[in-house]
Amino acid sequence: MKLISQLSKETGVPPGTIRFYEKSGLITGTRKAGVTTNDYRYYGDDVIDKLRFIQMAKDVGFTLNEIKEVIDAWYRKNLTKKAQIAVLNRKVQEIDEKMQELKAMKRQLAICIENVKNR
Amino acid sequence: MKLISQLSKETGVPPGTIRFYEKSGLITGTRKAGVTTNDYRYYGDDVIDKLRFIQMAKDVGFTLNEIKEVIDAWYRKNLTKKAQIAVLNRKVQEIDEKMQELKAMKRQLAICIENVKNR
DNA sequence: GTAAACTATGAAGTATACTGTATGGTTCAG
DNA sequence: CTGAACCATACAGTATACTTCATAGTTTAC
């Protein structure tokens, strides 16, 4: 279990952003049981996984709300098994759509590069 | 050559957004030669291509600035041949990176779906 | 035991990408 | 020739995703 600065170092996500994600309900830190002198949060390895997932998802154009849906389904936030699978399958489909768009863009750029070369 | 509402219908991009893109330098409409009574812009098929490209690029997480770089290289905005190809190749590389991220996300979700099923 | 480093909260500020509103001129159908 | 539909600009407002303060308490190294 790590404190926020350690988590930040290991993931490259700034502390302010980590706090913002926590306030947004994407990740959760726990207070150490019995400690009453401070409000320090401790983060486990699951949070590292989540942050890495968030980074990737953001980079391919998912919003934090969309990412939250996945994380909630992943960590079964009061959803039926059926509903969880439905959410996750829908995201896989969206990923496939984005993959198609990337392929289309790549084709266009390849043509464009050829055009520039043969000028 | 189409007016803005026609272009909007054919692409699904709202007129306000088209104007915003034009002001941002992503697309260009032309005034009809000789017409002095109005400021109506006319758009050719290249603008339709650009708008479709913008839509795809936005959906996979490119910013308008990043998209503008591609469009400027595409339509040779005072860049040398070498510089154009450099920009376009870099974008292809970024596309490949995003593809890798999509694959990684898909793998994770597949594992996640299996976990939910076997509960 | 104190200064530096770390933690927290709350609120304000910033960048991006629109979206809406106000205003006013233009075109076109009947 | 007039009213509805369309075009333009300028500027204000909104949503998302942070980022930066200001403030204050806590921990740790010396």
Side-chain angles (χ1 to χ4, degrees), chain A residues 59-60 70 74 81 84-85 88-89 96 98-99 101-103 106 108 112-113 116-117 119, chain B residues 59-60 74 81 84-85 88-89 96 98-99 101-102 105-106 108-109 112-113 116-117 119:
Chain A
D59 193 55
V60 295
V70 179
W74 193 324
K81 198 165 165 172
Q84 282 180 54
I85 292 174
L88 297 170
N89 274 329
D96 287 338
K98 283 179 195 285
M99 193 64 99
E101 290 181 317
L102 285 174
K103 279 182 191 163
K106 211 176 159 177
Q108 278 220 50
C112 180
I113 288 169
V116 173
K117 276 182 181 163
R119 255 191 37 238
Chain B
D59 194 56
V60 295
W74 194 325
K81 196 164 165 170
Q84 281 179 53
I85 292 174
L88 297 171
N89 274 329
D96 286 337
K98 284 179 194 287
M99 281 177 165
E101 290 181 317
L102 284 176
M105 285 179 69
K106 212 175 158 176
Q108 279 220 49
L109 288 186
C112 180
I113 288 169
V116 172
K117 276 182 181 163
R119 252 184 47 234

Side-chain angles (χ1 to χ4, degrees), chain A residues 35-50:
Chain A
V35 175
T36 49
T37 46
N38 66 38
D39 263 333
Y40 293 9
R41 305 293 149 70
Y42 291 84
Y43 303 93
D45 288 341
D46 56 321
V47 178
I48 293 185
D49 293 343
K50 279 186 188 178

